[in-house]
Amino acid sequence: MRSDHPGRFGIFAALPFPDVDGSLVEIAYAYDKLKVDGIGMFTSYGKSYLGDEVFRADLRRTESA
């Protein structure tokens, strides 16, 4: 559908976070092969929200991808 209507529909990749290594691989694949418009993440994983200290180092790694 996206290829039939360029500019009308977008595509976003979902990340397997908190698996940071898997997320980094998925980011590269999504942008390089799938040509996605962006990345989607959930606001929380388990009982922790993305702003939690437990995710800070991991999120910094995904920012540089």
Side-chain angles (χ1 to χ4, degrees), residues 46-61:
K47 294 183 179 183
S48 300
Y49 291 92
L50 287 178
D52 227 39
E53 183 65 34
V54 69
F55 294 128
R56 288 184 193 235
D58 294 336
L59 286 172
R60 279 195 279 279
R61 286 180 61 197

Side-chain angles (χ1 to χ4, degrees), residues 2-63:
R2 180 183 182 205
S3 60
D4 292 338
H5 304 281
R8 191 167 179 195
F9 296 99
I11 184 171
F12 292 84
L15 297 182
F17 202 74
D19 174 6
V20 178
D21 292 327
S23 293
L24 294 173
V25 169
E26 187 66 22
I27 288 169
Y29 177 77
Y31 280 114
D32 296 342
K33 299 290 183 187
L34 300 178
K35 307 297 184 203
V36 299
D37 297 309
I39 300 292
M41 296 177 73
F42 294 112
T43 56
S44 65
Y45 293 88
K47 294 183 179 183
S48 300
Y49 291 92
L50 287 178
D52 227 39
E53 183 65 34
V54 69
F55 294 128
R56 288 184 193 235
D58 294 336
L59 286 172
R60 279 195 279 279
R61 286 180 61 197
T62 60
E63 286 174 1

